[in-house]
Amino acid sequence: MAATHTPHHTHGTSQLWAGGLTVFAAVMLGITGLVGVFRGIMAIAEDDVFLTTPNYVFQWDLTGWGWVHLIVGAVAIVVSFGLYRVSMWARVAGVAIAALVIVANFLSLPYYPAWSILMIAMSGFVIWALCTVKSDDADAR
């Protein structure tokens, strides 16, 4: 019997990877945004949930931090829906929002350290996923 081999198409594989990474980034950015919205609501509604550090260099009112996290989280959710459509504006905005989430969570690290570290890590994965997809791979999807 003769064995027949089907040729492997690397372009099809790269399209699958591009689509998978973009969906991964969209889901992670959506989760990051949702958690940011919840965190913002918690900070606005009840300040007793958070830790207070008297000697932190970047001191700001906790309600102010709540509004920052609420707004950045809401924008992250909107951008995550744009990533499902694989649009270039959403990829650029996704990297920018994820970078803002990292900065905001670094600055609020002493108030809620566990969530801040988790959000920084999730945003790092979003930036990685959006930056590893080549524009021609994402457009071919």
Side-chain angles (χ1 to χ4, degrees), residues 24 32 98-99 102 118-130:
F24 171 78
T32 301
I102 288 174
L118 177 68
M119 297 299 282
I120 290 169
M122 287 175 66
S123 297
F125 281 124
V126 168
I127 291 172
W128 169 79
L130 291 176

Side-chain angles (χ1 to χ4, degrees), residues 15-33:
Q15 286 179 4
L16 289 174
W17 271 101
L21 285 177
T22 305
V23 170
F24 171 78
V27 169
M28 292 295 283
L29 192 61
I31 291 170
T32 301

Side-chain angles (χ1 to χ4, degrees), residues 76-103:
I77 291 171
V78 170
V79 171
S80 74
F81 284 119
L83 286 173
Y84 287 114
R85 302 200 48 117
V86 193
S87 56
M88 181 56 88
W89 71 265
R91 288 180 55 207
V92 172
V95 171
I97 290 297
L100 285 176
V101 168
I102 288 174
V103 170

Side-chain angles (χ1 to χ4, degrees), residues 1-27:
M1 285 182 98
T4 58
H5 297 283
T6 57
H8 295 286
H9 299 291
T10 58
H11 187 67
T13 305
S14 65
Q15 286 179 4
L16 289 174
W17 271 101
L21 285 177
T22 305
V23 170
F24 171 78
V27 169

